[in-house]
Amino acid sequence: MVLKAFCTRTSALLHQRFCSDYVKQMRYLFNLKEDDDACRQALTSGTFYLFHNLAPLLQKSKEGNTAPQINASEVNTILEKMGQQEMKLEDSVLIDCSEREVAQFALDLGLLEKSALESNLQGKFVDLRKALLLLNGKNAPLLMKMSPVVITLVSDGSRCLLARQEAFPAGMYTALAGFCDIGETVEDAVHREVAEEVGLEVEAVKYTGSQHWSFPDSSLMIACHATVHPKKTQILLNKFELEDAHWFSVEEVLMALNRGVFLKGESGTVPVWVPPKWAIAHHLIQEWAQQQIR
């Protein structure tokens, strides 16, 4: 019995010693998800991404825009200052924890006066779509619901197809994307979306990566390359889905990649540009271009 107890303690100590920081972090997060009391306790020492009717709070600094993490005591102070003691931190949603095991929450303050909150927090609540263009990927706040979406860069071997919707910023073109239907595989969804949106028949599909994307329904973007026959490239545009779609040469794509984000045009014209560097669409397009110039 003594030997067994010694072995048990030794095993536990060795597991703790060799357990990576990442594993510890994930175990802590798992415990918060499973234990309501632990999660409630973590609210008192956690940090909060703040929203106003789903618009995240942004602050501007010399380094650019950030989505600040506000500590619990500061949030409570602001709520008390605005006479909202009845609003509780328990109304927040657990989204993650830091490497130092500080819980991170999202809290929507949509019932409070927006301008007063912005004044107290020294920031602005920005529409989610615009916010994701202003932030880099690491600073983009998350929403919890997730829906699978395929995002596909179509190529005929020497060109790639980029498209735009009417709601896009002027000049922005990107890869095709659409939600997966119930019962579909990723491959099925790619074939269907390409056929629906541009009237092309995909011959081959290759998965390349994924990314969480916060709108319109907090999606999991599943990135793929798709190829079509080089003699079957005539675009049949679905005008209910897209405003425009074109084949682009590698030279045109490289110029678009180097332009960065154009939110405002100069002299009334806006050149073709692609999503920002942290977006998976950018990685898809860049990956294709690099393959062409090897």
Side-chain angles (χ1 to χ4, degrees):
M1 291 295 291
V2 174
L3 179 60
K4 182 177 180 181
F6 172 78
C7 290
T8 301
R9 289 196 299 271
T10 302
S11 177
L13 288 171
L14 286 173
H15 177 74
Q16 185 176 10
R17 180 181 176 184
F18 292 107
C19 185
S20 71
D21 290 340
Y22 175 75
V23 171
K24 291 178 184 177
Q25 180 185 353
M26 292 302 102
R27 291 289 174 86
Y28 175 70
L29 184 59
F30 175 80
N31 186 54
L32 294 181
K33 293 176 181 177
E34 296 296 315
D35 188 330
D36 289 343
D37 290 335
C39 190
R40 196 174 295 111
Q41 180 63 34
L43 285 168
T44 62
S45 58
T47 60
F48 296 78
Y49 288 112
L50 299 182
F51 294 76
H52 193 277
N53 293 326
L54 298 183
L57 175 73
L58 300 191
Q59 292 178 342
K60 186 172 288 187
S61 66
K62 293 180 180 180
E63 289 74 30
N65 293 281
T66 61
Q69 296 181 49
I70 313 297
N71 64 51
S73 61
E74 187 176 350
V75 174
N76 277 322
T77 298
I78 291 171
L79 292 178
E80 291 175 7
K81 186 177 181 180
M82 298 185 68
Q84 296 293 330
Q85 293 90 335
E86 68 275 10
M87 182 173 283
K88 299 179 180 179
L89 298 183
E90 283 85 349
D91 295 329
S92 61
V93 177
L94 174 69
I95 58 173
D96 204 351
C97 72
S98 71
E99 293 179 357
R100 296 185 177 183
E101 297 184 3
V102 176
Q104 299 168 348
F105 300 88
L107 179 62
D108 199 301
L109 303 176
L111 296 177
L112 305 185
E113 184 183 349
K114 182 179 176 182
S115 59
L117 281 170
E118 290 176 333
S119 177
N120 280 294
L121 292 163
Q122 299 183 335
K124 291 287 184 182
F125 290 102
V126 179
D127 177 79
L128 186 57
R129 293 173 185 252
K130 183 177 180 181
L132 288 172
L133 288 174
L134 295 175
L135 294 169
N136 63 46
K138 290 184 179 179
N139 285 329
L142 305 178
L143 300 177
M144 295 308 293
K145 180 182 173 185
M146 261 198 328
S147 302
V149 171
V150 290
I151 179 165
T152 308
L153 189 67
V154 179
S155 172
D156 67 354
S158 60
R159 303 174 299 172
C160 74
L161 187 146
L162 300 177
R164 60 174 281 106
Q165 296 178 355
E166 187 177 0
F168 285 3
M172 192 187 86
Y173 280 73
T174 187
L176 301 177
F179 289 98
C180 295
D181 284 344
I182 294 174
E184 277 188 324
T185 65
V186 169
E187 292 82 1
D188 290 339
V190 169
H191 281 267
R192 176 183 53 77
E193 282 292 333
V194 174
E196 283 181 358
E197 296 192 353
V198 291
L200 296 174
E201 189 169 342
V202 168
E203 291 188 334
V205 178
K206 180 182 178 182
Y207 168 81
T208 189
S210 63
Q211 180 184 40
H212 180 270
W213 192 251
S214 295
F215 62 84
D217 285 308
S218 195
S219 306
L220 176 64
M221 308 296 289
I222 304 167
C224 299
H225 289 281
T227 55
V228 298
H229 195 284
K231 293 185 179 179
K232 298 179 180 179
T233 58
Q234 183 177 353
I235 297 171
L236 299 175
L237 190 69
N238 183 342
K239 294 185 178 180
F240 290 100
E241 295 282 342
L242 301 173
E243 181 183 64
D244 190 29
H246 279 298
W247 288 105
F248 290 84
S249 67
V250 64
E251 292 79 14
E252 292 171 320
V253 169
L254 288 171
M255 286 191 290
L257 286 166
N258 290 329
R259 284 192 181 109
V261 174
F262 275 75
L263 293 180
K264 294 182 180 180
E266 298 178 2
S267 304
T269 61
V270 181
V272 172
W273 56 281
V274 297
K277 290 182 178 180
W278 55 266
I280 200 162
H282 186 102
H283 289 282
L284 264 176
I285 297 165
Q286 186 175 54
E287 190 173 49
W288 176 84
Q290 289 174 344
Q291 289 173 351
Q292 300 304 304
I293 60 179
R294 285 176 183 170

